[in-house]
Amino acid sequence: MSILKIAIQKSGRLSESSRKLFEECGIKISNGSGSLKVIAGNFPVEILLLRDDDIPQYVEQRVADIGIVGENMVYEKKKDVAVLEQLGFAGCRLSLAIPKEESYPGTGFFMNKKVATSYPVLLSEYFASTNISAEIEELSGSVEIAPGIGLADAICDIVSSGSTLLTNGLREVEMVMKSQAVIISNRNLDPEKQKILERLLFRIRAVKNARENKYILLNAPEEAVEDICRILPGMKSPTILPLAEKGWCSLHSVVKEDEFWDRIDQLREAGAEGILVIPIEKMIL
Ligand code: PRT
Ligand code: ZN
């Protein structure tokens, strides 16, 4: 029987969320005792625990069939793999930052300057697209200290909260790319592996949809129902049930997590009462 080999990060910013995603997909991965390979108990997959930098290459070479890695890593490594799905975690950006006391006139600042980064490919593409000629100093880590020790004039590094830049006296001036965790796949999977992958993607999408949406229940007077239905489109249209109290009904629907507070204000204005918002565990469209 075929087994789909999945590469995830062994330890780091992607590992916990990757494991949690599989758990929510009903795939049990044992914690393992430092081993690099883990077989799932109840789904035909084998998990390989690797450094994130190596995942694109291993997927291209079919050591692993698919992998979970940051988009920044996929595009930096330039491997021939398919990007199948954004996963909505490990969100960050690759940005240029300069010493905070320096004035910034625009991208011309970088002309003939030295910029330290662990992302030389993405940075040189950015400089080419903005017609900037600058020197790129490749570093494998601690990029943020480069200007302070006189190694570079600026840096290009991953930023999420911005606190690393702040504590190193740097300020973000340009965004080179946005990134989040994605699933990548080898381009030549055999049909059996492809089938397992499709079953896995089906589950992942159900988990993602559930995370991105909330179930909402509310009470409303009948005359407000039409307005409320316009605010609450739902998966098809809202469910409307009569309440024991005459002239009132209960509406059930689904709202997007990121539109949630806007919708709540609109609903209250339209006459909704007793609003309940409930997390969804799985959502299959
Ligand atoms: O050991 P291994 O090689 O597997 O791991 P790693 O240390 O190379 O990678 P890791 O775990 O740090 O990051 C894995 C992936 O997480 C990255 O490729 C990004 O896609 C994503 N990610 C999300 C981040 C961050 N957020 C992040 N904040 N990767 C790194 N950082 C670092 C950044 O380099 C900087 O040093 O965190 C610092 C900035 O964070 P803030 O919050 O201070 O802005
Ligand atoms: Zn790494």
Side-chain angles (χ1 to χ4, degrees):
M1 204 185 72
S2 225
I3 281 200
L4 190 73
K5 287 188 279 181
I6 307 175
I8 64 171
Q9 192 188 26
K10 184 171 170 45
S11 67
R13 290 188 162 85
L14 300 166
S15 17
E16 206 187 306
S17 304
S18 303
R19 283 171 174 270
K20 188 157 168 256
L21 178 66
F22 290 125
E23 219 169 86
E24 286 179 25
C25 288
I27 298 169
K28 291 195 184 73
I29 307 170
S30 64
N31 247 331
S33 47
S35 112
L36 290 184
K37 255 193 209 178
V38 191
I39 307 263
N42 49 352
F43 199 77
V45 294
E46 179 180 277
I47 312 288
L48 307 178
L49 303 168
L50 302 169
R51 284 201 59 191
D52 70 337
D53 312 60
D54 299 332
I55 292 176
Q57 179 182 344
Y58 284 163
V59 169
E60 186 190 59
Q61 294 173 343
R62 229 185 311 180
V63 175
D65 301 306
I66 68 166
I68 295 182
V69 72
E71 282 170 308
N72 51 310
M73 204 45 94
V74 182
Y75 298 115
E76 175 66 24
K77 297 292 175 185
K78 284 208 156 312
K79 298 294 172 193
D80 185 24
V81 295
V83 176
L84 299 184
E85 186 89 21
Q86 294 187 321
L87 296 173
F89 60 83
C92 56
R93 51 200 188 271
L94 180 65
S95 288
L96 282 157
I98 65 169
K100 68 171 189 305
E101 61 282 358
E102 299 221 27
S103 62
Y104 184 69
T107 51
F109 173 91
F110 296 101
M111 209 66 184
N112 303 319
K113 293 266 169 69
K114 199 171 180 184
V115 185
T117 189
S118 308
Y119 295 89
V121 171
L122 292 172
L123 182 58
S124 60
E125 279 174 6
Y126 175 81
F127 281 148
S129 72
T130 47
N131 293 317
I132 301 288
S133 130
E135 189 184 337
I136 296 176
E137 178 76 34
E138 187 176 348
L139 296 179
S140 58
S142 303
V143 171
E144 64 280 0
I145 65 168
I149 59 171
L151 189 63
D153 304 299
I155 68 162
C156 175
D157 199 13
I158 299 287
V159 182
S160 52
S161 69
S163 70
T164 302
L165 294 184
L166 203 68
T167 50
N168 286 281
L170 299 168
R171 75 182 163 108
E172 190 176 356
V173 289
E174 300 290 342
M175 188 177 78
V176 173
M177 80 173 283
K178 269 185 134 175
S179 175
Q180 60 176 289
V182 286
I183 295 213
I184 55 170
S185 158
N186 180 275
R187 292 195 185 275
N188 299 300
L189 293 188
D190 65 49
E192 274 194 52
K193 289 196 182 218
Q194 193 66 43
K195 246 192 209 154
I196 304 170
L197 173 58
E198 259 141 44
R199 281 173 63 203
L200 177 65
L201 285 176
F202 177 83
R203 293 187 186 192
I204 287 175
R205 285 173 189 141
V207 169
K208 258 180 65 185
N209 286 333
R211 284 181 185 170
E212 287 164 8
N213 290 278
K214 298 266 181 242
Y215 194 76
I216 182 164
L217 296 101
L218 58 87
N219 295 331
E222 270 164 7
E223 60 274 14
V225 166
E226 209 175 302
D227 278 353
I228 291 179
C229 285
R230 266 197 296 274
I231 304 167
L232 276 186
M235 286 169 79
K236 274 210 163 65
S237 65
T239 306
I240 304 174
L241 302 167
L243 285 188
E245 188 178 334
K246 233 178 153 266
W248 279 76
C249 48
S250 165
L251 275 86
H252 299 198
S253 190
V254 170
V255 281
K256 286 231 167 289
E257 165 93 75
D258 52 1
E259 295 173 6
F260 164 71
W261 287 113
D262 286 345
R263 299 277 175 181
I264 296 297
D265 291 340
Q266 290 171 21
L267 289 168
R268 291 180 61 214
E269 268 165 42
E273 289 181 12
I275 304 172
L276 291 181
V277 179
I278 301 169
I280 299 172
E281 197 174 292
K282 304 282 183 299
M283 181 166 158
I284 292 137
L285 297 171

